[in-house]
Amino acid sequence: MGDLVISADFGTSGVKVGVVDESLTLLAKTTETYPMHLAPGGIAEQAPDDLWQGFVRAVRRLAEEFPDLQTRVNVIVFSSQLCGVICADESGAALRPCLTWLDKRAAETGQSLVGGFPTVAGYGAFKLARWLRIANGAPAKNGMDPTAKILWIMQNEADVFARTRWLLDVKDWLIHRATGVFTTSSESANLTWLMDTRKGREGWSETLSRMTGIGLDKMPEIVDGEAVVDRLSARAADELGLRADTVVLGGTSDVTAAALGSGEVEDGALHVSAATSLWIAGFMPGRVLNVASSYATISSSLSYRPLLVASQENAGSAMEWAVRMSGGTTEGEALAGAFDDMGTPQADDPYFLPWLAGERVPVDNEAVRGAFHGLALHHDARAIRRAAVEGVALNLRWAYDKVSRERGVLTNRPLRMVGGVAANAAFAQTVADALDREVHVGGARHAGVLGAATLAASYQGWAQNAFEAAARLRHQSTATYTPNPQRVDALAQRNARLEKIRRHVVRSYQ
């Protein structure tokens, strides 16, 4: 057996790939980007083969650093973005570009799907009750979940749907491309809202299939993240330059990978993952549901263990936008440097609502849009960037204040934060001040890679299971941020004012 694992984390704009050893150390890492096609009408598509070719390039590059990579790699693990829809034929060939998680063209379809009389929070009461009982949630009204996207394809691209044999999420298609086998993980299945997540009943639901009109014959088998799917196909092994007996595991989603990579695997221990978007997450002992604030637990890929996820649409994307709009560059490392000198916060700094692509938690509304409030003639580029960093941090507080009230959530320990934006010192300090919590940054840009690699721990003999391996990562921090009492007080006052502004803006979109 080889002693190394290749772990790949497929995000929105690129794939991070690392070579990981028994100590969960990244011996080598690289990132390959791929394009996203954005167009009016909420279109956000990616060609599945672009993601695969990015992975091929990454592995080939790593092989240059590890001349014996082929003989030493024993396992490949994938994690990826969720809520994509790839229509594949019998052979696995993609019939159209992937409708990514960011694609919102199905918003009207989604609202029609979940609506009805009598209405509760925009949902048909009887439909909602059934979804909540069986799946512990329901499709988002903004059309971003796979349910609405699948129905949109059925209604608008009937010829494509007729030729579709498999409906796959991003990771599912990549695993097929690597092995020839069709599988999915429980997170992806859960978010189609066609899965029963009740303990002891986990699996595809005939009841929800009939309710939505989406047949289960196109859905792949649900497998555990630690399970062996198969070995590399001859074609994939040749492309990657790896042995054909290299094992490919069931894999997981980016949210579960980040949870494992944060090291916070105890029930009720929350972490924050801040990248293009942002989410608060943590494993829980049972299902959790908050309809009013639009968050819940999903069924993770590890023995269906409930994972609470409260997702917000904009974090790094909003900060990057603010840099561009204030005359800065976002190429390469210039983006991080854009926040090195933002000047001293002022009492009359503008407020920023970072809803540039709508919002999900704690208000599920794809129509709301971002805004600056209180702009004045003397505000310059530095003030705009200060407002962006603060706005994203206080938006996080908006959701965190809701989630932290759940029974069993641990609030007496430092908050772990991972993700590319977590590596930004100005943002991490602002989060510590906004939440009045000590913040530990661990893994940062590669927490997903490390977290996914823990899935191989049992197969490799590194630990009994992924959770035991991941717990070791909790003690690996790259930076610690302690709340500044003066900024804590100032941000508390600004947050109180922002809450009033926020209510008025949200109401204007209703």
Side-chain angles (χ1 to χ4, degrees):
M1 292 178 63
D3 62 323
L4 302 179
V5 169
I6 287 181
S7 178
D9 183 24
F10 290 83
T12 304
S13 57
V15 57
K16 298 181 179 71
V17 184
V19 179
V20 183
D21 68 4
E22 181 176 3
S23 66
L24 295 179
T25 299
L26 270 173
L27 302 179
K29 59 184 183 295
T30 189
T31 299
E32 288 288 335
T33 61
Y34 34 70
M36 167 89 77
H37 172 63
L38 300 173
I43 292 172
E45 296 181 337
Q46 286 180 316
D49 197 55
D50 285 344
L51 280 67
W52 174 257
Q53 293 304 325
F55 178 60
V56 170
R57 292 193 303 272
V59 173
R60 289 286 186 175
R61 180 174 296 180
L62 291 171
E64 296 174 2
E65 297 185 43
F66 272 85
D68 55 349
L69 188 70
Q70 183 184 69
T71 59
R72 293 185 64 186
V73 168
N74 198 50
V75 180
I76 295 175
V77 190
F78 293 144
S79 68
S80 79
Q81 54 183 291
L82 279 167
C83 294
V85 173
I86 297 175
C87 295
D89 64 15
E90 185 73 39
S91 69
L95 298 173
R96 67 170 327 285
C98 171
L99 275 68
T100 70
W101 68 272
L102 191 57
D103 196 294
K104 297 183 178 180
R105 76 185 75 184
E108 186 175 333
T109 304
Q111 290 158 14
S112 175
L113 168 68
V114 303
F117 180 83
T119 300
V120 176
Y123 288 85
F126 300 114
K127 291 180 182 177
L128 181 62
R130 191 171 300 166
W131 260 312
L132 298 186
R133 178 173 58 86
I134 298 174
N136 196 50
K141 292 174 287 187
N142 59 19
M144 294 176 71
D145 289 344
T147 335
K149 292 171 180 170
I150 293 169
L151 290 173
W152 186 91
I153 294 170
M154 290 172 63
Q155 296 165 8
N156 295 275
E157 299 180 357
D159 58 329
V160 171
F161 195 79
R163 291 183 289 132
T164 298
R165 173 62 186 88
W166 299 103
L167 291 167
L168 305 172
D169 205 342
V170 172
K171 174 186 59 58
D172 308 342
W173 186 87
L174 290 164
I175 287 179
H176 166 75
R177 185 65 175 77
T179 66
V181 179
F182 295 98
T183 63
T184 190
S185 58
S186 51
E187 304 105 327
S188 293
N190 193 163
L191 293 175
T192 65
W193 304 110
L194 298 172
M195 178 184 169
D196 192 329
T197 68
R198 290 173 292 183
K199 189 173 180 61
R201 303 186 185 185
E202 294 93 348
W204 295 114
S205 168
E206 292 287 353
T207 298
L208 297 180
S209 171
R210 289 191 297 270
M211 191 170 82
T212 59
I214 300 173
L216 300 180
D217 58 314
K218 298 181 188 295
M219 301 298 173
E221 177 188 4
I222 302 170
V223 301
D224 194 82
E226 294 177 293
V228 174
V229 171
D230 207 335
R231 301 180 186 276
L232 284 177
S233 67
R235 175 189 179 192
D238 181 64
E239 290 175 297
L240 295 166
L242 298 175
R243 301 191 322 271
D245 64 349
T246 304
V247 165
V248 179
L249 301 185
T252 192
S253 66
D254 53 1
V255 291
T256 299
L260 295 168
S262 76
E264 293 286 18
V265 294
E266 185 180 349
D267 281 343
L270 300 181
H271 69 276
V272 170
S273 179
T276 302
S277 59
L278 178 150
W279 62 79
I280 306 163
F283 293 103
M284 301 296 285
R287 300 198 313 183
V288 173
L289 176 66
N290 189 316
V291 176
S293 296
S294 304
Y295 66 80
T297 51
I298 63 171
S299 182
S300 79
S301 63
L302 292 166
S303 303
Y304 303 113
R305 186 180 178 189
L307 177 65
L308 186 151
V309 183
S311 180
Q312 296 189 312
E313 297 291 72
N314 305 274
S317 56
M319 291 165 59
E320 182 177 343
W321 173 87
V323 171
R324 292 199 309 271
M325 293 303 101
S326 59
T329 178
T330 58
E331 296 296 325
E333 293 300 317
L335 177 59
F339 300 99
D340 289 344
D341 179 19
M342 297 188 295
T344 304
Q346 303 297 315
D348 71 340
D349 273 347
Y351 295 88
F352 178 57
L353 301 174
W355 307 330
L356 304 183
E359 192 52 281
R360 298 194 82 160
V361 173
V363 170
D364 179 17
N365 190 332
E366 66 88 24
V368 297
R369 287 296 179 265
F372 282 101
H373 180 89
L375 285 172
L377 290 172
H378 67 276
H379 287 139
D380 57 11
R382 295 195 297 177
I384 294 298
R385 295 179 194 184
R386 285 198 303 271
V389 171
E390 178 189 286
V392 174
L394 291 179
N395 204 54
L396 163 60
R397 173 173 171 164
W398 186 32
Y400 185 82
D401 284 348
K402 308 286 187 183
V403 176
S404 61
R405 296 173 193 163
E406 292 290 342
R407 175 183 292 183
V409 166
L410 304 178
T411 58
N412 59 348
R413 59 167 69 187
L415 181 69
R416 295 277 293 180
M417 191 158 66
V418 298
V421 176
N424 184 305
F427 176 72
Q429 182 61 56
T430 305
V431 169
D433 297 337
L435 300 184
D436 194 15
R437 291 277 301 280
E438 186 173 292
V439 170
H440 291 185
V441 174
R445 293 183 175 89
H446 294 89
V449 173
L450 290 171
T454 67
L455 298 180
S458 176
Y459 185 85
Q460 290 289 86
W462 298 348
Q464 289 189 358
N465 54 50
F467 296 120
E468 181 183 294
R472 303 170 189 167
L473 296 171
R474 184 170 182 268
H475 306 290
Q476 299 181 13
S477 296
T478 58
T480 297
Y481 299 88
T482 302
N484 178 334
Q486 291 182 326
R487 285 298 293 156
V488 169
D489 292 342
L491 285 176
Q493 294 176 25
R494 286 181 61 80
N495 186 65
R497 172 62 178 155
L498 182 61
E499 286 180 346
K500 297 178 181 179
I501 297 168
R502 191 185 286 132
R503 284 196 297 271
H504 287 296
V505 174
V506 170
R507 193 177 300 121
S508 72
Y509 284 93
Q510 293 173 343

